[in-house]
Amino acid sequence: MEAAVEGLWSLAEEAELRRDYGAAVKCLESLLQSGASLLPLVEIRTRLRLAHLLLSRSHNLNHAKAHLERALLLLSAAPSAALHLKLSAHSLLARCYHLIGPIPPQKHILLRALNLLSSSVGGGAGSALPPATTLLWSANFHSQLASTLAIDGDYPGALSALSSGLAAATELRSSELQLFFTASALHVHLLHLEDPQSVEATVRQCLELWESIPFDQRQHYIGLFFYNELLQTFYLLRICDYKGAAQHVEKLDAAMKNEQQKVQYVKELLAELNSVNVSLSRSNLQRRDRLALYEKQGQIQEQLRMATGVDSTNNLLDFDDKLLLAPPPMDGEWLPRGAVFALVDLIVVMLGRPKGVFKECGKRIQSGLQLIYEELRKLGIADDTREVDLQHSAIWMAGLYLMLLMQFLENKVAVELTRSEFVDAQEALVQMTNLFVRFPTILQGCESTIEMLRGHYAHSVGCFHEAAFHFVEATKLTESKSVQSMCQVYAAVSYICIGDAESSTKALDLVGPVFRIIDSFVGVREKTCIIFVYGLLLMRQHNLQEARIRLASGLKIAHQQLGNIQLVSQYLTILGALALQLHDTGQAREILKSSLTLAKTLYDVPTQIWVLSVLTALYREIGERGNEMENAEYERKKEDDLQKRLSEAHSRIHHLDLIERARVKVQPLHEQAIKKAIAGPSAKVDLDIPESVGLPMPQPAAAFSSRLREMDPGRRGKTKI
């Protein structure tokens, strides 16, 4: 029987190396179903290996759970069983519960594992583990516990668990493991930003720990590099330090391209190694040929070791899929390699879009969408798949990729609206609404974003009443004070564009409360937009000097800190119009020419028309008839172009659906289906990508509309801010 067991275990291992996971499972299951009387330790080891395979390579969570619970039962009846088997069983079962969804069993099994580990320290010589191994297991369980507590919303508990894990890593004198726990703490802080000073200290500690890793060893911790750099970027974006974030994104982008080349190189080496191994398996080889093949095999294995830092090719099975963060026994993967690369592309788009780098943004959006659609197909998600059709084990990963997909589409909508490509924006927005209808629970955090984008679309195509409705609805669908304030500002702009006294009063009512709390916002994005709209309202009240002072301060912030050239162009245009009203024609000409240059860079037709109309008025005032005629003709051409684009958008079948004054209609799910859908952490938008980064608010698309140039300062409201 012992020979049969060893044989089937070996066959299972060979099948796993061939990536024939079905055959590996059958080998192990045949042992358990043979009817033979297995020794308890043999059965335990077999069930643990089988459960690990099922968890990693299949959707069969219930069978994995049954094997693990049976293994734990056998282990409890075998006091002499190796401690590492008991710890492995606890860790795998906690992971299984994590995939199934319920939080209480996860906490229970992890706390029981920590108690078991604690009781083994100082126990008999046969039961104790080496100190370093004990510390690694302690780090593993505290990492798992922190993840569970964070998902449950217990952020202080999660930070406490990570602190215990960090203590174990410090005792191990492992800089990379210390960085793993410190970065994980930063991740939790970003999910629940309450103490800015603690976050800043954690950010500094992450930087110091990465620098403490010897330079020649850093290539072996590429997963940790991506995790740390992405979190640093998220933090800098959260505080609106876009220049600092750009430096990290440059590093990430370079590392991603290098890693993609390395993955391709490793794939080629593995294919070559496999060919050599096949040749070596032939029985009719001459001795000289066999020796040459063995030499070639050794050379390839050394090349693989140098490229990956991994000694055994058996450990390269998931090299092209995973970016590990921590050593075994820890399950140290944060996101799959593909998701990390998509996230880097997304952040490149987020930083490039406000600068008008649309060609590069388009490439990155296309690259990210292609990667995500491919990963969704691997998960079995087709065009007609709905939330209730998902396997439990696929929910978490599906939620991750669906959230990334929504964010790429969101940025595509913003880019296309800025470029006045209204039909392309419409198509991307329709994709977003369709995804939300199919996956309403997983994507519930996106409803506010969809309403806000519907507002931007409606505003861009001149439907200002509908735009204001959707912006106001968006404020009701989010708890984020920042997002609420931005949507109130957007709605106020739409009301200003309507132009009547009642709408102006509504705009004042929206902006007034936000303006009073302007200093409470962490970053400058909200401040610059609030100041812009406040300046417009001051103009409506004929308070031109005050408007000029306010708008000049907003322009300075937008230019120096925000780096959003569309908003800078809009600031310049309104300041140019103000200078003209104050008869400062020299400054008006200079400002407006700069604004027109930026608007052309962005292909922003509405802003170009706005600037041209003010320039025409300027030339008329200073008596430059030739320039006035030439400018007016150019303005008419641009208006004809814009009207053509608007007419095409209005004629499309989805136009009325997008601007309709109603939220997206979602089919109610059956109660059991809802429980299934929300069982995993993917139901929470910000578990993997902090909300302020994962759901970036597009800057005012389509230049706050060309209707702003038609404002009549004489028709002012009486309400004071």
Side-chain angles (χ1 to χ4, degrees), residues 589 592-593 596 611-620 631:
R589 183 198 292 260
L592 291 167
K593 284 187 174 180
L596 185 59
V611 179
L612 289 167
S613 70
V614 182
L615 275 172
T616 301
L618 169 66
Y619 293 139
R620 186 181 304 118
N631 205 72

Side-chain angles (χ1 to χ4, degrees), residues 450-466:
I450 290 172
E451 285 301 308
M452 183 181 56
L453 290 175
R454 290 177 73 190
H456 280 304
Y457 171 78
H459 188 103
S460 301
V461 296
C463 302
F464 303 117
H465 290 281
E466 291 82 356

Side-chain angles (χ1 to χ4, degrees), residues 104-150:
Q106 291 179 55
K107 290 183 185 177
H108 173 73
I109 201 74
L110 290 169
L111 291 173
R112 194 169 79 175
L114 286 168
N115 287 334
L116 176 65
L117 192 63
S118 177
S119 63
S120 71
V121 177
S127 63
L129 294 170
T133 306
T134 300
L135 289 169
L136 276 173
W137 274 111
S138 175
N140 171 70
F141 288 122
H142 281 110
S143 172
Q144 286 185 283
L145 182 60
S147 177
T148 300
L149 294 171

Side-chain angles (χ1 to χ4, degrees), residues 352-386:
R353 177 170 59 80
K355 298 174 183 176
V357 192
F358 293 147
K359 188 174 181 179
E360 179 65 17
C361 286
K363 289 179 182 177
R364 296 303 183 114
I365 289 172
Q366 194 58 37
S367 168
L369 290 175
Q370 185 177 348
L371 187 152
I372 292 165
Y373 285 131
E374 183 180 335
E375 293 299 328
L376 289 174
R377 280 194 293 272
K378 289 179 185 177
L379 292 169
I381 298 176
D383 291 341
D384 58 346
T385 306
R386 303 180 75 86

